[in-house]
Amino acid sequence: DSGVTQTPKHLITATGQRVTLRCSPRSGDLSVYWYQQSLDQGLQFLIQYYNGEERAKGNILERFSAQQFPDLHSELNLSSLELGDSALYFCASSAVSGGADGELFFGEGSRLTVL
Amino acid sequence: AQKVTQAQTEISVVEKEDVTLDCVYETRDTTYYLFWYKQPPSGELVFLIRRNSFDEQNEISGRYSWNFQKSTSSFNFTITASQVVDSAVYFCALTIYGNNRLAFGKGNQVVVIP
């Protein structure tokens, strides 16, 4: 158990809809990262938050957004969903924004299926 | 930009055989970390090993060992005496010092046949 909690574990929705994925980091971790795992793109970094502020953006679509709340949990919002958004979305956390540790702790993922 | 290449896609071995997974990376940074993660059929990503760019010492941890060679930008991973529970997808990943944003390879599907 990594200590990172993601909900929901599975989600099925239709094209055009909007969903929210939630992540609770390990206790005390200030950084939250979102990754997308799809069959064609593999594992890709989407976005990072550190202590409530956006720190870095990766290959995140404009239809997607995220935020980190004062209690450090994070939400990834996916809107105007398309079939290609079907993927496993991982959240990870770390104690610091970057530096000597270099280790991320991953949640079990939220599997999104868009029909 | 960082790039990780795992050339082999699927590897099948008979139980108790050794399996070696190849990983080649690209980065212009001199300080970086390399990782191996395991993704079993249940889907979660499990951290296995980490190495920083200043430490090329190769080690063994249980049935896992790794061979880090900066000269060839390779970070290969070996499972000794494979077991059925080792069946999973294994990812090599790279991050540079100063951020924890991992660049993953495409993964190696390992199938251990009993």
Side-chain angles (χ1 to χ4, degrees):
Chain A
D1 183 1
S2 67
V4 178
T5 304
Q6 289 187 246
T7 57
K9 286 188 167 37
H10 300 276
L11 188 56
I12 301 174
T13 188
T15 54
Q17 295 298 305
R18 182 178 188 274
V19 298
T20 298
L21 309 180
R22 181 188 169 99
C23 170
S24 295
R26 289 190 319 157
S27 177
D29 282 0
L30 299 178
S31 268
V32 170
Y33 306 76
W34 286 97
Y35 284 81
Q36 179 195 57
Q37 184 179 26
S38 61
L39 283 176
D40 53 346
Q41 298 293 329
L43 268 162
Q44 289 196 103
F45 166 72
L46 294 179
I47 197 165
Q48 177 200 358
Y49 277 82
Y50 176 74
N51 203 21
E53 294 188 1
E54 181 184 303
R55 185 56 60 97
K57 266 187 175 180
N59 299 320
I60 188 167
L61 299 172
E62 286 191 9
R63 299 183 286 107
F64 296 0
S65 64
Q67 54 184 328
Q68 186 179 27
F69 294 87
D71 66 353
L72 300 178
H73 91 271
S74 177
E75 293 181 357
L76 178 67
N77 301 297
L78 315 175
S79 61
S80 302
L81 285 169
E82 301 176 359
L83 296 178
D85 297 328
S86 295
L88 186 55
Y89 291 85
F90 284 105
C91 171
S93 73
S94 70
V96 295
S97 175
D101 186 70
E103 183 171 352
L104 300 187
F105 296 86
F106 283 85
E108 294 186 348
S110 292
R111 185 171 296 280
L112 172 66
T113 302
V114 182
L115 301 177
Chain B
Q2 289 74 45
K3 183 179 177 182
V4 176
T5 301
Q6 294 176 253
Q8 309 139 302
T9 52
E10 181 168 328
I11 304 166
S12 294
V13 295
V14 176
E15 198 171 19
K16 296 184 183 177
E17 289 182 343
D18 297 348
V19 55
T20 294
L21 308 179
D22 299 330
C23 173
V24 175
Y25 62 92
E26 295 176 29
T27 180
R28 293 182 179 179
D29 289 84
T30 57
T31 308
Y32 50 88
Y33 292 89
L34 293 160
F35 301 79
W36 279 96
Y37 281 86
K38 173 183 179 181
Q39 187 175 38
S42 51
E44 73 271 24
L45 279 170
V46 179
F47 165 80
L48 296 177
I49 57 174
R50 174 185 64 205
R51 215 72 191 144
N52 73 56
S53 53
F54 293 114
D55 185 359
E56 287 190 73
Q57 182 178 355
N58 297 312
E59 292 185 13
I60 297 174
S61 175
R63 294 187 299 107
Y64 299 151
S65 62
W66 51 94
N67 186 345
F68 176 29
Q69 293 191 358
K70 287 178 74 172
S71 60
T72 56
S73 297
S74 64
F75 186 53
N76 298 337
F77 175 67
T78 297
I79 305 171
T80 302
S82 60
Q83 301 173 3
V84 173
V85 292
D86 295 327
S87 296
V89 180
Y90 291 81
F91 291 96
C92 181
L94 164 72
T95 186
I96 62 174
Y97 186 88
N99 76 65
N100 283 336
R101 300 184 287 280
L102 294 168
F104 285 89
K106 294 290 188 185
N108 299 127
Q109 172 76 60
V110 173
V111 177
V112 181
I113 304 166

